[in-house]
Amino acid sequence: MNEPKHCSLLWKHISNEPFGHVRTCCIARERVTDTDGKEFTLGETSVRDIFHSEYYKNIRQEIRDGKMPDNCDPCWRDESNGVKSKREIYNEYAEYRYDPIDYSAEPDMPEDLQIILSTTCNLKCRTCNPNYSSKWVKEAEERNLPYIKEEVKVHMSDVNKSEFWIGIDDWLPHAKYLEIMGGEPFYMKEFKVFATKLIDDGIAKNVHVNLSTNGTVVDKEFLQKMIDNFASVGFNVSIDGINDRFEYLRHGAKWDEVKENLDYFHDLIINHGLSIGVTHTVSSLNVMYLGEFHQYFTKRWPKFIIFHNMANFPTWYNPSIFPEDCKKDIVKPLRNMNQFRKEHRKEIKGIIKHVMTPRTQTVQSYGSGPDDTVESEIEKRWFMFRKEVVAGDLYRKEKFTETFPELSSILEEKEAFKYNNVVFNLVNFPDYGNVEKGSII
């Protein structure tokens, strides 16, 4: 039997999607289901019952048996490429966050929860979609962009009917770490209501809270109230580029305004000891500009810890999507390791390896029909990359070739993507979509 690849998340963690569906972690391939295959939601089922479900028990047993569940494929893929996986990162956290974990036993209740209270957001980032940003909905509707329009019997945000809220006194006392996602937590009213409840009920003093924020909104008074009442407060600021590349990737944000906020956040690290990091979503659009990003941050904000998050969805923004003959030139700017701090170099090498890995080894086909092959899926994803770049530019009045000239030139020279020769009608041009229930485009 293979040695078990223990994952603390399976014993300590639960993660929800906007409508209340649950995954073992946010990058897991599958939603948690009951014995009949029905997807759980936090609106209809308690945190306790989901965490003690047969699904959770079975996947924990697979890990004990030394297996590598398909549900955890993003971590296995990162580890094979030399990139530190979420599993490895959270196993390191577990060493100081919790008492020693008995992996032979079933856990009681989750102590670490990643919660999406709302999709309310003020940005529509290129690598996001309407299921996670309210700002995206109008554009998606007008462009006929496929996305999952789901309905649930009870939405988890319904404070009067949702099991998440009705049973809050059962699960909340066990919580030690809360990670609040969005939408944009500092922009949504739901987060302030939730955080205020924790403070007013005297629970906050036992809870370490971490948020994912886009860096555009700073309520200094409310943030100070959180700092004064929670066991600790930390957050990661999502920054995927600098200057015009940042504004293209995170549409609606202004780099000069975010720079001022980053100055303030950096000061909180230096003078107040807050734990604040920067999460960089590595996508097909920005991967070749990682060196530029790191050099800028090292010079201006050296105290920020930089995390890399691989864009797995939408699938056409994964940085391995490029035709094989383009890849060598795309990673060439990354091979000078002197532009990266020592602690990042191993991970950068892993990102290079991921980009260079043939698409036939990184792409999985969707469906089981005779035309649902790896090769057809590769073709569809590359089509969608080109389509979404051009269609997004037309709608947003932006221009890929001006914002990413080096990448655009490589794709042009290799005849992989001749931007100026592409003419798409925003609504009626051909479309590919591998949208399935429970998947994210």
Side-chain angles (χ1 to χ4, degrees), residues 64-292:
R64 293 189 191 102
D65 293 341
K67 297 178 182 178
M68 298 171 67
D70 290 342
N71 183 54
C72 307
D73 180 68
C75 281
W76 312 140
R77 187 168 61 241
D78 282 348
E79 291 170 25
S80 69
N81 287 324
V83 178
K84 185 175 284 189
S85 68
K86 183 160 187 169
R87 179 187 78 90
E88 292 173 319
I89 292 169
Y90 276 77
N91 281 353
E92 291 177 2
Y93 291 168
E95 293 179 7
Y96 62 85
R97 281 187 171 186
Y98 321 116
D99 294 331
I101 299 173
D102 182 357
Y103 288 105
S104 67
E106 288 296 313
D108 180 22
M109 289 286 276
E111 299 176 29
D112 187 321
L113 297 94
Q114 185 183 74
I115 300 172
I116 297 175
L117 293 165
S118 168
T119 62
T120 302
C121 191
N122 59 333
L123 301 184
K124 45 179 179 178
C125 305
R126 283 276 175 156
T127 54
C128 195
N129 63 67
N131 298 106
Y132 286 83
S133 169
S134 58
K135 197 75 172 179
W136 249 106
V137 174
K138 181 175 183 289
E139 178 176 344
E141 295 288 348
E142 292 182 351
R143 285 175 48 203
N144 274 353
L145 181 67
Y147 69 96
I148 306 159
K149 300 178 182 179
E150 295 189 285
E151 294 183 1
V152 291
K153 289 183 179 179
V154 181
H155 199 287
M156 67 166 286
S157 64
D158 188 330
V159 295
N160 296 314
K161 298 180 180 179
S162 166
E163 288 293 334
F164 174 83
W165 286 98
I166 292 173
I168 197 168
D169 292 332
D170 181 38
W171 64 263
L172 196 54
H174 299 271
K176 294 180 180 178
Y177 295 88
L178 295 177
E179 185 176 7
I180 309 299
M181 309 295 286
E184 169 51 46
F186 287 132
Y187 184 73
M188 65 177 71
K189 64 181 181 181
E190 291 87 351
F191 172 65
K192 285 190 176 182
V193 170
F194 183 65
T196 301
K197 173 181 172 54
L198 292 173
I199 293 169
D200 291 347
D201 289 356
I203 296 172
K205 65 180 182 294
N206 300 316
V207 175
H208 302 267
V209 65
N210 192 73
L211 301 99
S212 179
T213 176
N214 59 37
T216 62
V217 182
V218 179
D219 185 335
K220 295 181 181 180
E221 182 178 347
F222 182 69
L223 182 56
Q224 188 60 53
K225 183 178 180 180
M226 290 178 60
I227 293 170
D228 292 340
N229 286 278
F230 281 85
S232 71
V233 175
F235 48 92
N236 285 349
V237 191
S238 299
I239 308 287
D240 301 338
I242 62 173
N243 298 318
D244 58 340
R245 286 190 259 279
F246 169 79
E247 294 182 358
Y248 183 100
L249 292 162
R250 294 195 168 263
H251 185 85
K254 300 300 180 185
W255 176 241
D256 287 342
E257 295 174 2
V258 171
K259 275 198 304 184
E260 290 185 11
N261 293 339
L262 288 170
D263 287 339
Y264 168 66
F265 296 151
H266 198 252
D267 181 70
L268 289 177
I269 299 174
I270 296 171
N271 296 316
H272 300 279
L274 258 67
S275 175
I276 305 174
V278 168
T279 299
H280 183 98
T281 297
V282 183
S283 71
S284 48
L285 291 166
N286 64 8
V287 63
M288 74 175 292
Y289 300 95
L290 271 171
E292 167 190 87

Side-chain angles (χ1 to χ4, degrees), residues 29 49 266 388 406 426:
R29 288 179 59 87
D49 286 347
H266 198 252
E388 283 308 300
E406 299 84 0
L426 274 178

Side-chain angles (χ1 to χ4, degrees), residues 375-391:
E375 289 73 20
S376 68
E377 184 65 27
I378 289 171
E379 179 185 347
K380 291 174 184 179
R381 293 186 188 185
W382 184 238
F383 175 87
M384 286 297 289
F385 171 84
R386 292 174 291 162
K387 168 201 159 180
E388 283 308 300
V389 166
V390 175

